[in-house]
Amino acid sequence: EPEVTQTPSHQVTQMGQEVILRCVPISNHLYFYWYRQILGQKVEFLVSFYNNEISEKSEIFDDQFSVERPDGSNFTLKIRSTKLEDSAMYFCASSESTYEQYFGPGTRLTVT
Amino acid sequence: AQSVTQPDIHITVSEGASLELRCNYSYGATPYLFWYVQSPGQGLQLLLKYFSGDTLVQGIKGFEAEFKRSQSSFNLRKPSVHWSDAAEYFCAVGVGGGNKLTFGTGTQLKVEL
């Protein structure tokens, strides 16, 4: 069964450093998303991406965040200058059509 | 803005017992509704979804959910729980042009043997 994959599974970085989280969505999917889950809290929407542009973003997704689909298979989330409060589990998701999103296993980001 | 409420933070049931996890949403129109399950260290797995039509939907692993418009609810049920069902369960609502999902705070299910 096709699945969304994410790398790395765990990333540790120092405050102020740039990180890139990578995702490989399901191959025939057209919509891509990033969510995050701070430990003990709910899953929060960050951004959705379709047709090579952002279709919606949350208040969390400020200028420090960016997304890119650099080739036909990868979908990345970049945080330019990480802060302690960026520590969270980041989930990538993809969908073929509206709403039915399939999630990857997540990348745990720890900012020290 | 839309919101999702899962009033039960923790639920403990005995293996073989029935289960109902509650979910209420707040949204002007009928949203798209989902239940996801998250096992420890794992991602979110889609259990079932409701878009329209029959208000009782069947999902994977023997789960079902019923949409009740009058109560703005979408409760998840299972007639007989297995120890492997222990996990965290999230209700989610799909709204907005970007297809974003809004999640509830989750219900942690513990199954006693």
Side-chain angles (χ1 to χ4, degrees):
Chain A
E1 183 178 331
E3 58 184 20
V4 177
T5 59
Q6 291 185 242
T7 54
S9 57
H10 191 193
Q11 171 100 44
V12 181
T13 189
Q14 289 188 329
M15 197 166 47
Q17 295 297 304
E18 175 184 286
V19 295
I20 297 176
L21 310 182
R22 291 183 167 80
C23 167
V24 179
I26 294 172
S27 62
N28 63 333
H29 285 186
L30 302 175
Y31 300 82
F32 313 110
Y33 314 83
W34 284 100
Y35 292 80
R36 79 173 186 189
Q37 184 182 31
I38 295 172
L39 188 63
Q41 299 185 25
K42 67 168 78 174
V43 177
E44 302 172 287
F45 169 80
L46 290 178
V47 65
S48 59
F49 191 86
Y50 170 72
N51 201 25
N52 282 322
E53 61 182 27
I54 290 173
S55 46
E56 189 169 357
K57 60 183 180 180
S58 72
E59 293 175 351
I60 303 167
F61 195 88
D62 61 21
D63 292 344
Q64 291 300 309
F65 291 87
S66 62
V67 289
E68 190 179 31
R69 189 155 163 81
D71 53 40
S73 59
N74 290 283
F75 180 52
T76 62
L77 174 70
K78 185 195 303 189
I79 309 175
R80 266 179 263 286
S81 178
T82 50
K83 305 176 202 144
L84 293 176
E85 53 265 37
D86 293 327
S87 294
M89 181 75 91
Y90 288 80
F91 292 106
C92 174
S94 69
S95 64
E96 184 178 8
S97 61
T98 307
Y99 295 123
E100 189 168 340
Q101 298 175 24
Y102 293 86
F103 284 74
T107 292
R108 178 161 299 284
L109 176 65
T110 302
V111 183
T112 61
Chain B
Q2 68 283 352
S3 66
V4 180
T5 302
Q6 293 181 247
D8 304 304
I9 299 173
H10 294 100
I11 282 186
T12 300
V13 299
S14 299
E15 189 175 38
S18 63
L19 172 71
E20 183 168 24
L21 302 183
R22 295 182 289 165
C23 172
N24 292 95
Y25 67 90
S26 172
Y27 182 56
T30 300
Y32 296 177
L33 296 160
F34 305 84
W35 276 98
Y36 283 86
V37 60
Q38 184 181 30
S39 298
Q42 303 295 311
L44 296 158
Q45 183 181 21
L46 179 63
L47 281 177
L48 47 75
K49 60 188 182 287
Y50 172 78
F51 289 173
S52 64
D54 191 347
T55 56
L56 184 64
V57 293
Q58 302 297 320
I60 62 171
K61 304 185 180 187
F63 286 92
E64 66 178 28
E66 186 172 13
F67 169 60
K68 292 186 177 179
R69 185 190 307 274
S70 61
Q71 298 176 19
S72 297
S73 70
F74 189 56
N75 293 349
L76 181 71
R77 302 195 293 247
K78 187 169 184 178
S80 178
V81 170
H82 187 262
W83 64 266
S84 60
D85 293 325
E88 188 153 22
Y89 292 80
F90 293 92
C91 182
V93 165
V95 294
N99 309 333
K100 74 175 187 181
L101 295 180
T102 298
F103 284 82
T105 50
T107 297
Q108 187 72 47
L109 173 65
K110 181 180 174 183
V111 180
E112 289 183 333
L113 300 176

